[in-house]
Amino acid sequence: MSRRPRERHHHHVYVVQLSDRVWNEPAFRKANPAHDICKPCVYVGMTGLDPDLRFDRHMAGVQANRFVLKYGVRLLPELYECYNPMPYEAARDMEVELAIGLREAGYGVWQA
């Protein structure tokens, strides 16, 4: 019986749509002065888990970001699937780059 080699690239970036109510949070508003109200508010993260599982963990309060726990709506795979999976270092860097790119495009972004 042959053993499959362990997949080296198993980290992911992911984007969670947040309810528009997150805009009532002063810290979120302060972090997004150029938010285009036609674009959604989002949370950008990275994980060694499958993004669906990580989202479920956020919503269950397990190592959850407070904005995702309170305002999380759904994943937005169209904004991140093309990047995954990747090595840890690449995911760490891509999380920041993706957040910056989305903010520059007018999204309201929270990235911890």
Side-chain angles (χ1 to χ4, degrees):
M1 182 177 353
S2 66
R3 295 180 67 182
R4 276 180 59 196
R6 186 170 174 204
E7 185 178 329
R8 291 184 48 175
H9 306 306
H10 67 274
H11 285 84
H12 305 267
V13 291
Y14 61 98
V15 179
V16 176
Q17 180 179 347
L18 303 174
S19 162
D20 292 340
R21 292 178 297 124
V22 74
W23 193 248
N24 295 324
E25 297 277 353
F28 194 91
R29 277 197 320 273
K30 184 177 180 181
N32 293 283
H35 174 237
D36 176 347
I37 61 168
C38 295
K39 301 269 178 98
C41 294
V42 298
Y43 171 82
V44 177
M46 68 151 290
T47 183
L49 303 172
D50 178 271
D52 289 316
L53 177 58
R54 182 65 187 107
F55 177 68
D56 291 344
R57 289 174 60 104
H58 273 293
M59 299 309 289
V62 178
Q63 296 176 322
N65 173 271
R66 67 184 176 113
F67 292 143
V68 177
L69 179 61
K70 190 170 181 180
Y71 302 107
V73 175
R74 65 184 182 98
L75 289 170
L76 295 173
E78 63 274 16
L79 298 178
Y80 65 83
E81 276 186 335
C82 62
Y83 304 113
N84 295 327
M86 65 187 92
Y88 171 80
E89 294 81 13
R92 183 190 60 216
D93 295 343
M94 180 54 70
E95 176 188 8
V96 174
E97 292 173 24
L98 183 56
I100 290 169
L102 291 173
R103 188 173 279 124
E104 287 175 349
Y107 289 79
V109 178
W110 192 262
Q111 181 259 328

